[in-house]
């Protein structure tokens, strides 16, 4: 087994939970204590941000505080902008949230919420409509993904550089341009899911596939849909029975949930794998584009990066998956289903990507709030 004594202690109890990957949670005795004074972040989280994002400790603390403020401002600014809302993004250098609007008359109201303002031509509704039209197209393998980029005020279509001149790719791009404002960006590789064959000492198995636990919900945990079909049995790192996939969707979506029983239980914790302290989950407020984000998985453990894009359609070999969030965080086989978290807020479950944690890459996650809404689940929070 690839675990330290500390990680293994009480593991079976925890795994159930949303720990993510394998070992996972924390035994009941070590479960989250009531918080009297909520610190901005644990020392371990700050250390991870310093390592993966190249920040000093004071910069990491300041960034987390700015991101928390930006997340709160985002909803207010969206309401103030009304139909002229064109999207938003966070600038980690200035610590500010910028909101795009199509009407100069809405600028003052948006600024009053604390956001910076940029005047643009296309509203978020128009860009989303263009992307929806592209979603209806049949994408060839050389097209990696596409998403609305509020900063560019266009729909970005990512094509694999080596296949950009392929006839099918060029034809797809031509049809996409007819849908609305489109720009094409080259990417190194096509995305793939991060499931893996059975390997000893990992989080959960279904058939010959190993994946990672995402987040605890009351009654079970959420994870990636490509890890198993509804009805499939799930066992933990120690081989003991946990439960079954109660619902699963892939492609089109990439989410699932597993019920928990047989001596397993859930706790509101994400495993830090010794790189950081185990993280308490306190909610699921959505972090803006540009925010820092970290991931836990059973293969590459704890990794951090930034949110690059939202509502992206990812074109896997098995079919397109919609409404994904793209990040600069690396991942590898077996990390599928694992947790993405920003501060203490659950963000989503690992779906797939390209690259690895030696040379770098990009990873997409399925937003957790959509999973909760789809299955009527309640996130287990501290």
């Amino acid at each position: 087994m690839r675990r330290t004594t500390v990680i293994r202690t009480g593991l079976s109890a925890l795994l159930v939970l949303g720990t993510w990957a394998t070992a996972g949670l924390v035994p009941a005795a070590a479960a989250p204590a009531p918080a009297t004074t909520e610190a901005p972040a644990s020392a371990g989280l700050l250390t991870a941000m310093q390592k993966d994002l190249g920040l000093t400790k004071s910069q990491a603390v300041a960034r987390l505080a700015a991101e928390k403020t930006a997340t709160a401002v985002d909803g207010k600014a969206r309401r103030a902008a009304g139909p002229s809302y064109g999207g938003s993004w966070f600038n980690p250098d200035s610590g500010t949230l910028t909101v795009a609007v199509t009407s100069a008359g809405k600028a003052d109201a948006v600024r009053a919420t604390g956001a910076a303002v940029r005047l643009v031509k296309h509203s978020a509704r128009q860009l989303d409509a263009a992307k929806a039209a592209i979603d209806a197209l049949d994408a060839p393998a050389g097209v990696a993904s596409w998403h609305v980029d509020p900063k560019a005020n266009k729909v970005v279509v990512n094509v694999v550089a080596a296949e950009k001149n392929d006839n099918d790719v060029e034809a797809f791009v031509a049809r996409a341009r007819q849908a609305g404002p489109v720009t094409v960006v080259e990417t190194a590789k096509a995305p793939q899911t991060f499931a893996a064959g059975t390997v000893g000492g990992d989080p959960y198995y279904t058939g010959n596939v190993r994946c990672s636990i995402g987040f605890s919900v009351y009654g079970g945990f959420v994870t990636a849909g490509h890890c198993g079909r509804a009805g499939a049995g799930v066992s933990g790192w120690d081989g003991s029975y946990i439960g079954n996939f109660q619902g699963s969707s892939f492609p089109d979506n990439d989410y699932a949930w597993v019920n928990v029983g047989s001596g397993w239980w859930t706790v509101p914790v994400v495993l830090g794998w010794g790189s950081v302290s185990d993280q308490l989950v306190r909610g699921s407020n959505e972090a803006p584009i540009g925010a820092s984000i970290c991931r836990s998985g059973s293969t590459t453990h704890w990794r951090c990066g930034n949110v690059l894009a939202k509502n992206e359609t990812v074109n896997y070999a098995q079919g397109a998956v919609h409404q994904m969030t793209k990040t600069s965080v690396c991942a590898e086989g077996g990390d599928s289903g694992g947790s993405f978290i920003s501060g203490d807020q659950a963000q989503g479950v690992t779906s797939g990507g390209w690259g690895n944690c030696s040379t770098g890459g990009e990873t997409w996650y399925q937003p957790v709030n959509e999973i909760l809404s789809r299955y009527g689940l309640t996130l287990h929070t501290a």
Side-chain angles (χ1 to χ4, degrees):
M1 298 271 181
R2 297 199 305 263
R3 280 203 184 83
T4 64
T5 301
V6 174
I7 292 178
R8 295 185 62 178
T9 300
L11 210 204
S12 59
L14 298 194
L15 233 203
V16 156
L17 222 226
T19 314
W20 340 12
T22 167
L25 301 133
V26 170
T36 50
T37 302
E38 188 175 332
S42 69
L45 176 58
L46 294 177
T47 298
M49 291 180 67
Q50 292 173 66
K51 175 180 178 292
D52 290 345
L53 299 178
L55 305 175
T56 65
K57 181 178 180 180
S58 60
Q59 288 173 332
V61 170
R63 178 159 174 175
L64 286 172
E67 289 172 354
K68 185 174 183 179
T69 298
T71 298
V73 167
D74 197 23
K76 298 176 183 177
R78 181 190 293 261
R79 291 189 291 273
S84 74
Y85 178 75
S88 64
W89 59 93
F90 176 76
N91 185 327
D93 294 327
S94 64
T96 59
L97 181 79
T98 299
V99 174
V101 296
T102 59
S103 171
K106 292 291 187 179
D108 288 342
V110 173
R111 289 192 186 95
T113 67
V117 174
R118 177 181 294 181
L119 191 63
V120 296
K121 181 178 181 180
H122 307 287
S123 69
R125 183 175 300 176
Q126 291 172 320
L127 294 173
D128 287 342
K131 178 184 174 294
I134 299 173
D135 283 345
L137 302 177
D138 186 14
V143 176
S145 64
W146 52 96
H147 69 275
V148 170
D149 183 346
K151 192 172 183 178
N153 200 226
K154 294 181 178 181
V155 178
V156 175
V157 176
N158 297 287
V159 301
V160 179
E163 300 183 52
K164 64 179 180 179
N165 295 322
D166 177 82
N167 290 338
D168 291 339
V169 171
E170 291 183 339
F172 178 89
V173 171
R175 293 194 297 271
R177 292 189 189 282
Q178 296 173 7
V182 164
T183 186
V184 176
V185 174
E186 294 180 16
T187 186
K189 298 180 180 179
Q192 61 183 18
T193 57
F194 286 128
T198 299
V199 177
D202 291 298
Y204 80 85
Y205 310 98
T206 176
N208 65 343
V209 173
R210 168 172 61 86
C211 281
S212 302
I213 291 173
F215 292 97
S216 289
V217 296
Y218 287 98
F221 64 83
V222 295
T223 187
H226 70 263
C227 290
R229 295 185 179 277
V234 173
S235 57
W237 68 275
D238 59 352
S240 66
Y241 173 75
I242 294 178
N244 295 78
F245 278 84
Q246 298 298 300
S248 178
S249 177
F250 179 80
D252 187 26
N253 306 292
D254 194 4
Y255 51 58
W257 82 280
V258 175
N259 70 319
V260 165
S262 302
W264 295 79
W265 64 86
T266 67
V267 294
V269 171
V270 167
L271 187 66
W273 290 98
S275 296
V276 301
S277 58
D278 293 346
Q279 303 294 300
L280 295 181
V281 178
R282 300 186 184 278
S284 58
N285 293 328
E286 186 178 345
I289 293 172
S292 61
I293 193 165
C294 297
R295 179 192 59 72
S296 177
S298 60
T299 299
T300 58
H301 301 174
W302 186 266
R303 303 284 176 160
C304 297
N306 300 309
V307 177
L308 300 179
K310 295 184 179 183
N311 191 23
E312 182 153 24
T313 299
V314 181
N315 190 34
Y316 293 129
Q318 300 92 330
V321 177
H322 304 92
Q323 297 179 314
M324 303 279 273
T325 297
K326 179 164 66 177
T327 75
S328 62
V329 187
C330 67
E332 296 180 10
D335 287 328
S336 280
S339 324
F340 265 92
I341 190 167
S342 180
D344 56 11
Q345 300 296 304
Q347 298 298 306
V349 300
T350 302
S351 174
W354 62 268
N356 55 53
C357 288
S358 296
T359 59
E362 294 176 336
T363 301
W364 284 263
Y365 65 80
Q366 176 85 62
V368 69
N369 287 330
E370 181 182 358
I371 309 174
L372 300 177
S373 175
R374 168 63 179 81
Y375 294 120
L377 302 170
T378 300
L379 188 68
H380 191 163
T381 58

